Amino acid sequence: MNDTYQGDFNATQTTGASTEKKPEGIVPVLIKQVLNSPEGNYQMFDMTFIMVYAKVIVRNIETSSTKITYLLEDSTGRIDAHYWLEEGDTLKAPDVMVNKYATVFGSVRSQGGQKTLMVFKMLPVNDPNELVTHVLEVLNARYKAEEYATKGTSYGDFGGTAAVKSSTDGTDLGLEGKHLAVFQAIKSHNSADGISRSELKRKFTHMTDNLDLILDFMTGEGHIYSSIDADHFLSTE
């Protein structure tokens, strides 16, 4: 494994009296934190996050007709990650290579008792300084989460420019019209698996022809992401 960072701190600790709150957004992590995390959305003290992001080395890539499976590694461990394809369209696959660094954004899932990442986005790392910065962001997120849990102070910005915070209804994301209506339907859907593409089409029969384009746009902008497969969506807000 690489020697970027060998820290072993308890960043997934939860307070005994706390209950899981509404997920807040994205938080920087190391792979070991994900592997040691409890079931469900990623938790840090009494904060819960929909998505995580990490700086990793891509050790292996396996492509099938429905998904791409990556073996990702940092100095704290290894984890499998899955990127679901739409109708086998490999042209939409992340532009990353084996034995190169990448930034992975995704949600934590358990499959067969093993933690995995459901990839929302992967980008190549072009500046090695990002690796050092990421470690600092991880440390900062851990201590801010602890401060929030023990003192009740504002949780602030957990991950620099890559983190996002909760939005009320999508209007402050610049969404309007049909995009706003679809976003609100996805955000308000009460399911850990997300709302399906077919259910959205039943809900918005008047925009069936444009719905796929709307979903692609909001996915590309980072407002939503695919969950259990390429046809189920959750809000990042």
Side-chain angles (χ1 to χ4, degrees):
M1 294 186 183
N2 68 83
D3 57 357
T4 304
Y5 183 64
Q6 296 292 342
D8 185 15
F9 54 88
N10 184 10
T12 57
Q13 177 181 343
T14 57
T15 56
S18 65
T19 58
E20 183 171 331
K21 299 181 180 180
K22 181 181 177 181
E24 298 294 347
I26 304 177
V27 67
V29 296
L30 300 173
I31 290 177
K32 185 174 182 179
Q33 293 174 267
V34 175
L35 297 176
N36 292 340
S37 64
E39 298 294 326
N41 288 328
Y42 181 80
Q43 297 179 42
M44 183 181 293
F45 290 90
D46 63 348
M47 300 294 297
T48 303
F49 298 89
I50 295 176
M51 296 179 67
V52 300
Y53 71 96
K55 304 289 182 178
V56 298
I57 298 179
V58 181
R59 289 305 190 191
N60 190 50
I61 302 175
E62 295 182 3
T63 303
S64 70
S65 60
T66 58
K67 67 180 179 180
I68 304 175
T69 299
Y70 301 91
L71 177 59
L72 306 178
E73 176 187 296
D74 67 10
S75 62
T76 67
R78 287 187 169 192
I79 192 170
D80 286 331
H82 305 290
Y83 180 84
W84 291 92
L85 298 169
E86 295 184 7
E87 300 179 355
D89 188 0
T90 57
L91 296 178
K92 295 184 178 180
D95 183 22
V96 296
M97 296 186 293
V98 173
N99 294 326
K100 298 293 185 180
Y101 280 99
T103 304
V104 56
F105 298 83
S107 56
V108 180
R109 294 288 186 271
S110 293
Q111 294 185 347
Q114 300 293 322
K115 290 292 192 309
T116 62
L117 289 176
M118 306 301 290
V119 177
F120 167 60
K121 182 185 296 185
M122 287 181 71
L123 302 170
V125 171
N126 298 315
D127 184 352
N129 290 323
E130 292 183 32
L131 307 176
V132 178
T133 301
H134 182 71
V135 173
L136 297 177
E137 289 179 347
V138 170
L139 289 167
N140 179 63
R142 186 256 186 235
Y143 290 118
K144 281 198 172 185
E146 182 179 19
E147 182 180 18
Y148 176 77
T150 57
K151 299 180 181 180
T153 55
S154 173
Y155 62 86
D157 183 358
F158 273 88
T161 57
V164 298
K165 300 177 184 177
S166 295
S167 168
T168 54
D169 59 4
T171 55
D172 49 354
L173 297 176
L175 299 176
E176 57 184 19
K178 294 179 180 179
H179 290 74
L180 179 59
V182 174
F183 173 82
Q184 291 175 337
I186 294 172
K187 182 178 180 181
S188 62
H189 188 71
N190 187 23
S191 170
D193 293 338
I195 188 171
S196 68
R197 188 186 301 267
S198 59
E199 185 171 348
L200 286 169
K201 288 184 177 180
R202 288 194 299 270
K203 186 183 292 288
F204 299 104
T205 55
H206 60 290
M207 62 174 78
T208 301
D209 294 338
N210 295 325
L211 185 59
D212 289 337
L213 294 176
I214 292 173
L215 292 172
D216 287 345
F217 169 79
M218 290 198 295
T219 299
E221 291 296 310
H223 303 322
I224 62 174
Y225 64 100
S226 56
S227 55
I228 59 173
D229 58 31
D231 291 315
H232 284 77
F233 301 93
L234 287 168
S235 163
T236 56
E237 295 299 316

